[in-house]
Amino acid sequence: MDDLVAAGSIKTKEVEAAFRAVPRHLFAPEVSLQDAYADDIVRTKQDQHGITVSSVSAPWLQATMLEQAGISPGMRVLEVGSGGYNAALIAELVGPTGAVTTMDIDADVTERAHHCLAAAGYDQVHVVLADAEHGVPEHAPYDRIIVTAGAWDIPPAWTDQLAPDGRIVVPLRMRGLSRTVALTPRDGVLVSLDHQMAGFVPVRGDGAHPERLVQLHDADVGLRFDEQAPELDAAALRAALLAPRVEAWSGVRFGGMEPFDGLLLWLASSLDDYGLLSRARSPTARELVDPVSPIGTPTAVEADSFAYLTLRKVEDGDDTYEFGAYAHGPDAARLAGLVVTQVQAWNRTHRDASPATISVWPATTPAEALPPGRVIAKRHRIVVLSWS
């Protein structure tokens, strides 16, 4: 707990008190006491392929989202994605005059949450088995809606069931990148108050939206596309990966502990033909590609060529690195230059400036009414990434 306060994940006395009050180990009976209180997720259910479909989130991330939510005593709160522990934290924050509803599409998950909440003394929490796409209208309106599963879109039910001055905190996927975003209504539009880097298991049910995966080398290396993908020649891209790479360097440096999630979001908003390069944590994959993140690195992609963000250690610096690009294919040099140019643009104008504003508009909004920025069309909404 003290570590979460020192790291800045917990900022307020109210959230700190909630964390100290709720016995986390009662919501993680599958693991040891040490693992239950570690600053890491506790996996509670996997599918037939061994992929995690439900978990108790890491404490730092739960604290971050609760701070984003700004929950006060007496509020009505809906939690989408139920593990039990987070609902108990919310119950502490709303107090005896508030109300908490936690929902999940999986009967195993809701049954487990109900049992754990009762064991910990939080049986006042409403546990509902339902698809998140439709919310829980019988307990609405909600002052806060906190989504603890990765959402590709924001369904109408969430805003319909939100109080006029309410707030939605949601891990929103935008061009493959996930950010936990605190959104508040403003003249029919949801506008971000804050956003932080985060990752969650994806929403299931009617709101699910699978990514398109183009495998470049068996299961070792792939390109992921979240929305509309460019026209690709998969065979040519696979051949390009095995050809010698081109590299370009930006001259932009950063310290080893300095976050650069703003750069990743900038590349997602500034590159037109765009995907995420992912690699397995295997020796073969490491020999083939060296992205800044194996989970997903912004990549400029065209039919038969691609270039992705990378970094190298600066020899004359202590824990200092330089951003650059590795590229493959006939158009490698141009695409590497494009990525490096955008890194330099971010360094000049956005590195020390305000973060991007994320606004969420109805899908029927005409193009001329949208603000300047990267427009991301979804099923129910249009998301716009705008930079000052």
Side-chain angles (χ1 to χ4, degrees), residues 184-190 361:
T184 191
R186 191 178 300 166
D187 299 326
V189 179
L190 293 171
W361 301 70

Side-chain angles (χ1 to χ4, degrees), residues 19-363:
F19 270 83
R20 294 193 183 279
V22 179
R24 183 176 167 92
H25 65 280
L26 296 182
F27 297 89
E30 304 88 345
V31 301
S32 68
L33 198 64
Q34 180 178 354
D35 288 342
Y37 285 96
D39 196 9
D40 199 357
I41 69 170
V42 176
R43 293 171 176 82
T44 56
K45 186 174 181 179
Q46 297 175 319
D47 66 12
Q48 65 270 27
H49 305 294
I51 297 173
T52 300
V53 296
S54 183
S55 66
V56 181
S57 299
W60 73 266
L61 183 50
Q62 291 175 309
T64 296
M65 295 182 73
L66 292 176
E67 293 287 7
Q68 286 182 312
I71 299 170
S72 301
M75 283 187 171
R76 304 175 66 85
V77 181
L78 171 65
E79 180 194 32
V80 175
S82 184
Y85 177 64
N86 200 59
L89 293 171
I90 297 169
E92 287 287 339
L93 290 168
V94 301
T97 60
V100 181
T101 301
T102 182
M103 69 179 306
D104 203 282
I105 195 172
D106 191 320
D108 291 339
V109 173
T110 54
E111 182 179 353
R112 181 186 180 281
H114 189 276
H115 174 77
C116 292
L117 284 162
Y122 294 95
D123 48 7
Q124 77 271 28
V125 173
H126 304 290
V127 181
V128 178
L129 174 64
D131 191 323
E133 187 81 355
H134 313 293
V136 184
E138 57 265 34
H139 297 305
Y142 301 104
D143 301 292
R144 299 291 187 265
I145 297 176
I146 302 178
V147 185
T148 60
W152 181 76
D153 200 357
I154 296 179
W158 294 358
T159 44
D160 291 346
Q161 295 170 27
L162 188 69
D165 57 348
R167 187 179 301 180
I168 299 174
V169 178
V170 54
L172 186 61
R173 222 168 70 209
M174 300 162 288
R175 305 195 91 188
L177 294 183
S178 178
R179 297 289 185 272
T180 174
V181 189
L183 296 161
T184 191
R186 191 178 300 166
D187 299 326
V189 179
L190 293 171
V191 181
S192 63
L193 302 172
D194 177 68
H195 52 86
Q196 304 290 333
M197 198 168 183
F200 278 87
V201 297
V203 161
R204 291 184 282 168
D206 291 345
H209 182 86
E211 295 175 305
R212 176 188 174 191
L213 173 66
V214 177
Q215 291 184 326
L216 301 186
H217 191 276
D218 299 327
D220 292 311
V221 182
L223 283 167
R224 297 178 7 232
F225 300 93
D226 203 19
E227 282 88 16
Q228 186 74 27
E231 293 294 325
L232 303 176
D233 184 337
L237 288 170
R238 285 191 282 269
L241 175 64
L242 301 178
R245 72 188 182 197
V246 170
E247 57 185 76
W249 298 98
S250 66
V252 177
R253 298 183 175 189
F254 75 104
M257 297 302 293
E258 179 185 355
F260 53 87
D261 49 299
L263 171 59
L264 304 183
L265 198 61
W266 167 252
L267 292 175
S269 64
S270 63
L271 296 173
D272 292 325
D273 295 321
Y274 164 92
L276 289 175
L277 183 77
S278 300
R279 69 158 175 82
R281 299 181 186 273
S282 67
T284 300
R286 292 186 183 94
E287 290 178 4
L288 290 168
V289 292
D290 187 21
V292 296
S293 169
I295 298 172
T297 292
T299 304
V301 187
E302 293 190 354
D304 56 2
S305 306
F306 64 96
Y308 61 90
L309 184 68
T310 190
L311 50 83
R312 65 181 177 184
K313 190 169 179 59
V314 177
E315 292 183 2
D316 60 351
D318 294 330
D319 204 24
T320 301
Y321 296 82
E322 179 186 6
F323 290 116
Y326 287 149
H328 299 260
D331 221 9
R334 184 179 64 81
L335 291 181
L338 176 61
V339 172
V340 163
T341 296
Q342 292 301 336
V343 171
Q344 294 166 337
W346 167 79
N347 185 61
R348 287 194 307 271
T349 59
H350 302 299
R351 183 173 187 170
D352 299 316
S354 300
T357 296
I358 300 169
S359 55
V360 182
W361 301 70

